[in-house]
Amino acid sequence: MPRTIALDPEQVPAESKATLAAFTKNIGFTPNMMAAFAQSPLAFNAWANLLGSLSKALDVKTRDSIGLAVSEVNACNYCLTVHSFTAENLAKLSADDIILARKGHATEPKRDAAVQFARKVIETRGQVVDADLKAVRDAGYTDANIMEIIALVAMYSLTNFFNNVFDHDKDFPAVPPAGSI
Protein backbone atom coordinates (compact mmCIF):
# COMPACT_ATOMS: atom_id res chain seq x y z
CA MET A 1 0.00 0.00 0.00
CA PRO A 2 1.45 3.37 -0.95
CA ARG A 3 2.42 5.72 1.85
CA THR A 4 1.48 8.84 -0.11
CA ILE A 5 -1.17 9.48 -2.69
CA ALA A 6 -0.24 9.96 -6.30
CA LEU A 7 -2.31 12.97 -7.23
CA ASP A 8 -4.31 13.23 -10.38
CA PRO A 9 -2.22 15.44 -12.72
CA GLU A 10 -4.96 18.08 -12.48
CA GLN A 11 -4.51 18.23 -8.67
CA VAL A 12 -0.75 18.91 -8.52
CA PRO A 13 0.40 22.39 -7.54
CA ALA A 14 0.50 24.87 -10.39
CA GLU A 15 4.30 25.15 -10.17
CA SER A 16 4.61 21.42 -10.98
CA LYS A 17 2.06 21.18 -13.79
CA ALA A 18 4.28 22.10 -16.74
CA THR A 19 7.05 19.72 -15.70
CA LEU A 20 4.62 16.88 -15.04
CA ALA A 21 2.82 17.51 -18.34
CA ALA A 22 6.13 17.33 -20.22
CA PHE A 23 6.96 13.97 -18.61
CA THR A 24 3.47 12.64 -19.28
CA LYS A 25 3.69 13.66 -22.95
CA ASN A 26 7.16 12.13 -23.29
CA ILE A 27 6.31 8.84 -21.54
CA GLY A 28 2.71 8.52 -22.69
CA PHE A 29 1.24 8.33 -19.18
CA THR A 30 1.84 9.79 -15.72
CA PRO A 31 3.89 7.40 -13.53
CA ASN A 32 2.73 7.17 -9.91
CA MET A 33 6.13 8.29 -8.65
CA MET A 34 5.98 11.52 -10.64
CA ALA A 35 2.39 12.30 -9.68
CA ALA A 36 3.40 11.93 -6.04
CA PHE A 37 6.73 13.77 -6.40
CA ALA A 38 4.93 16.70 -8.08
CA GLN A 39 3.29 17.50 -4.72
CA SER A 40 6.50 19.39 -3.93
CA PRO A 41 7.21 21.75 -6.82
CA LEU A 42 10.59 22.64 -5.29
CA ALA A 43 11.84 19.05 -5.03
CA PHE A 44 10.14 17.84 -8.23
CA ASN A 45 11.39 20.65 -10.46
CA ALA A 46 14.91 20.47 -8.99
CA TRP A 47 15.01 16.72 -9.72
CA ALA A 48 13.60 17.25 -13.23
CA ASN A 49 16.27 19.87 -13.98
CA LEU A 50 19.00 17.53 -12.72
CA LEU A 51 17.57 14.66 -14.78
CA GLY A 52 17.46 16.87 -17.88
CA SER A 53 21.04 18.03 -17.42
CA LEU A 54 22.39 14.54 -16.72
CA SER A 55 20.59 13.08 -19.74
CA LYS A 56 23.50 14.58 -21.68
CA ALA A 57 26.13 12.81 -19.52
CA LEU A 58 27.84 9.73 -20.90
CA ASP A 59 25.74 7.49 -23.16
CA VAL A 60 22.28 6.04 -22.57
CA LYS A 61 23.52 2.47 -22.02
CA THR A 62 25.96 3.63 -19.36
CA ARG A 63 23.39 5.90 -17.68
CA ASP A 64 20.77 3.15 -17.55
CA SER A 65 23.35 0.61 -16.34
CA ILE A 66 24.33 2.98 -13.53
CA GLY A 67 20.66 3.48 -12.65
CA LEU A 68 20.19 -0.28 -12.44
CA ALA A 69 23.31 -0.80 -10.29
CA VAL A 70 22.43 2.01 -7.88
CA SER A 71 18.78 0.93 -7.61
CA GLU A 72 19.89 -2.63 -6.86
CA VAL A 73 22.21 -1.49 -4.06
CA ASN A 74 19.47 0.75 -2.66
CA ALA A 75 16.89 -2.08 -2.99
CA CYS A 76 14.47 0.18 -4.84
CA ASN A 77 12.10 -2.18 -6.58
CA TYR A 78 10.07 0.68 -8.10
CA CYS A 79 13.17 2.15 -9.75
CA LEU A 80 14.32 -1.30 -10.85
CA THR A 81 11.06 -1.68 -12.79
CA VAL A 82 11.52 1.74 -14.41
CA HIS A 83 15.22 1.32 -15.23
CA SER A 84 14.71 -2.24 -16.51
CA PHE A 85 11.97 -0.98 -18.82
CA THR A 86 14.02 1.96 -20.11
CA ALA A 87 17.18 -0.12 -20.39
CA GLU A 88 15.36 -2.63 -22.58
CA ASN A 89 13.27 -0.22 -24.63
CA LEU A 90 15.41 2.90 -24.90
CA ALA A 91 18.99 1.80 -24.31
CA LYS A 92 18.35 -1.54 -26.07
CA LEU A 93 20.15 -3.58 -23.42
CA SER A 94 19.50 -7.31 -23.49
CA ALA A 95 17.88 -9.10 -20.53
CA ASP A 96 21.30 -10.53 -19.64
CA ASP A 97 22.89 -7.05 -19.78
CA ILE A 98 20.17 -5.71 -17.48
CA ILE A 99 20.85 -8.43 -14.90
CA LEU A 100 24.60 -7.84 -15.26
CA ALA A 101 24.11 -4.09 -14.66
CA ARG A 102 22.04 -4.81 -11.55
CA LYS A 103 25.05 -6.78 -10.31
CA GLY A 104 27.33 -3.80 -11.00
CA HIS A 105 28.89 -4.90 -14.28
CA ALA A 106 28.61 -4.56 -18.06
CA THR A 107 29.82 -6.57 -21.02
CA GLU A 108 31.58 -3.62 -22.63
CA PRO A 109 34.84 -2.82 -20.73
CA LYS A 110 34.51 0.96 -20.57
CA ARG A 111 30.87 0.81 -19.43
CA ASP A 112 31.84 -1.92 -16.97
CA ALA A 113 34.38 0.41 -15.35
CA ALA A 114 31.77 3.17 -14.99
CA VAL A 115 29.17 0.83 -13.50
CA GLN A 116 31.67 -0.73 -11.11
CA PHE A 117 32.78 2.74 -10.02
CA ALA A 118 29.17 3.89 -9.52
CA ARG A 119 28.48 0.83 -7.41
CA LYS A 120 31.61 1.52 -5.31
CA VAL A 121 30.48 5.13 -4.79
CA ILE A 122 27.06 4.08 -3.47
CA GLU A 123 28.33 1.14 -1.45
CA THR A 124 31.09 3.16 0.23
CA ARG A 125 29.08 6.40 0.44
CA GLY A 126 31.78 8.04 -1.66
CA GLN A 127 34.70 6.68 0.35
CA VAL A 128 36.35 5.11 -2.70
CA VAL A 129 40.03 4.22 -2.70
CA ASP A 130 42.71 5.41 -5.10
CA ALA A 131 42.54 2.11 -7.00
CA ASP A 132 38.84 2.73 -7.75
CA LEU A 133 39.65 6.11 -9.29
CA LYS A 134 42.59 4.66 -11.19
CA ALA A 135 40.42 1.90 -12.67
CA VAL A 136 37.76 4.28 -13.98
CA ARG A 137 40.40 6.69 -15.33
CA ASP A 138 42.31 3.82 -16.97
CA ALA A 139 39.09 2.87 -18.77
CA GLY A 140 39.12 6.29 -20.44
CA TYR A 141 36.96 8.45 -18.17
CA THR A 142 38.05 12.00 -17.44
CA ASP A 143 37.60 13.69 -14.09
CA ALA A 144 34.59 15.51 -15.60
CA ASN A 145 33.10 12.12 -16.55
CA ILE A 146 33.78 10.82 -13.04
CA MET A 147 31.91 13.82 -11.64
CA GLU A 148 29.00 12.95 -13.96
CA ILE A 149 29.02 9.35 -12.70
CA ILE A 150 28.88 10.63 -9.12
CA ALA A 151 26.04 13.03 -10.02
CA LEU A 152 24.12 10.15 -11.62
CA VAL A 153 24.61 8.06 -8.48
CA ALA A 154 23.22 10.93 -6.39
CA MET A 155 20.27 11.54 -8.71
CA TYR A 156 19.31 7.86 -8.86
CA SER A 157 19.71 7.59 -5.09
CA LEU A 158 17.32 10.52 -4.64
CA THR A 159 14.57 8.74 -6.54
CA ASN A 160 15.45 5.41 -4.87
CA PHE A 161 15.04 6.95 -1.43
CA PHE A 162 11.87 8.79 -2.44
CA ASN A 163 10.31 5.63 -3.83
CA ASN A 164 11.47 3.44 -0.95
CA VAL A 165 9.97 5.85 1.58
CA PHE A 166 6.63 6.28 -0.20
CA ASP A 167 6.34 2.76 -1.72
CA HIS A 168 4.36 3.72 -4.81
CA ASP A 169 2.29 1.22 -6.74
CA LYS A 170 4.44 0.02 -9.63
CA ASP A 171 3.28 1.05 -13.07
CA PHE A 172 6.04 -0.55 -15.14
CA PRO A 173 6.45 -4.30 -15.79
CA ALA A 174 7.52 -6.23 -12.70
CA VAL A 175 11.09 -7.46 -12.28
CA PRO A 176 12.53 -9.88 -9.73
CA PRO A 177 12.92 -8.09 -6.38
CA ALA A 178 16.26 -6.57 -5.51
CA GLY A 179 18.48 -9.15 -3.93
CA SER A 180 16.87 -12.11 -5.68
CA ILE A 181 18.97 -12.11 -8.85
Side-chain angles (χ1 to χ4, degrees):
M1 171 185 226
R3 296 178 182 179
T4 190
I5 296 172
L7 298 176
D8 181 284
E10 309 308 316
Q11 297 174 306
V12 301
E15 299 88 350
S16 294
K17 285 188 184 218
T19 303
L20 186 60
F23 278 115
T24 299
K25 181 179 178 188
N26 219 10
I27 298 169
F29 72 100
T30 304
N32 292 326
M33 171 272 223
M34 289 186 190
F37 208 170
Q39 291 179 59
S40 169
L42 182 67
F44 181 60
N45 289 318
W47 167 77
N49 286 330
L50 183 60
L51 177 66
S53 294
L54 291 177
S55 70
K56 299 170 189 88
L58 311 172
D59 62 272
V60 68
K61 288 183 180 192
T62 302
R63 287 192 311 271
D64 276 346
S65 295
I66 290 170
L68 286 160
V70 170
S71 296
E72 185 72 32
V73 170
N74 288 326
C76 183
N77 290 325
Y78 185 94
C79 289
L80 285 168
T81 68
V82 174
H83 293 301
S84 294
F85 180 84
T86 61
E88 178 184 353
N89 294 288
L90 301 177
K92 304 299 183 196
L93 290 175
S94 70
D96 288 343
D97 284 336
I98 291 170
I99 295 296
L100 197 58
R102 288 179 65 179
K103 293 179 177 182
H105 292 284
T107 53
E108 193 273 315
K110 185 172 183 179
R111 184 169 8 112
D112 186 55
V115 176
Q116 284 187 52
F117 182 75
R119 189 168 174 113
K120 291 271 185 159
V121 168
I122 193 66
E123 288 176 338
T124 67
R125 292 174 173 74
Q127 300 293 322
V128 299
V129 297
D130 291 345
D132 298 325
L133 279 170
K134 181 178 181 342
V136 74
R137 286 177 176 141
D138 286 351
Y141 289 100
T142 64
D143 283 353
N145 296 142
I146 293 167
M147 291 171 200
E148 293 163 359
I149 292 168
I150 296 164
L152 286 164
V153 168
M155 180 188 69
Y156 292 131
S157 292
L158 170 64
T159 55
N160 292 166
F161 298 161
F162 176 79
N163 290 310
N164 282 343
V165 166
F166 290 115
D167 192 27
H168 307 290
D169 289 336
K170 291 160 192 67
D171 38 24
F172 287 87
V175 298
S180 68
I181 58 167

